[in-house]
Amino acid sequence: MTVNVFVEGQLKDGERDGFTEICREAFKVTRDYDGCKHIDLVYNTEEGNNWVFNEIWESKDHYDKYLKFRTEDGTLETIATVSYTHLRAHETKANL
């Protein structure tokens, strides 16, 4: 069963362009990662430093393996250095 993942964070002032570029490069690998069906980055239109990753994975196991990979390759640490808040991930499953 597919899993939808929403990861939300708040950027430090002045980090948006750099963060967008980090994501642009990282998503090239993510989109080819086993089990990734979709990933994109969206910014809140009212609060421009608030961002969300919208992800769809073939299964929770696929997402968990990907998250481990991104932890080990340093991507999550890089994101944390440009963000004020801890990353918040929400996993959901479609019921329909």
Side-chain angles (χ1 to χ4, degrees):
M1 177 182 289
T2 61
V3 175
N4 296 331
V5 179
F6 303 96
V7 182
E8 182 178 13
Q10 183 75 22
L11 294 174
K12 296 176 183 174
D13 289 337
E15 297 290 350
R16 184 171 166 154
D17 290 343
F19 180 70
T20 301
E21 188 56 33
I22 290 168
C23 293
R24 183 175 286 117
E25 291 302 312
F27 286 6
K28 292 176 184 176
V29 173
T30 303
R31 289 183 176 116
D32 287 335
Y33 201 88
D34 183 39
C36 180
K37 297 173 88 67
H38 174 83
I39 186 168
D40 64 17
L41 166 66
V42 295
Y43 287 104
N44 183 322
T45 57
E46 295 178 10
E47 174 54 52
N49 286 336
N50 175 250
W51 57 268
V52 174
F53 293 155
N54 177 23
E55 307 175 38
I56 301 174
W57 291 87
E58 286 184 23
S59 69
K60 183 171 180 353
D61 186 52
H62 283 95
Y63 176 71
D64 289 343
K65 288 177 184 174
Y66 170 75
L67 187 59
K68 182 177 187 267
F69 164 72
R70 285 303 188 192
T71 300
E72 291 172 353
D73 85 344
T75 301
L76 294 183
E77 184 176 334
T78 299
I79 291 171
T81 64
V82 298
S83 297
Y84 282 123
T85 56
H86 294 287
L87 305 180
R88 292 178 296 186
H90 310 279
E91 297 176 17
T92 61
K93 294 182 181 178
N95 289 320
L96 301 176

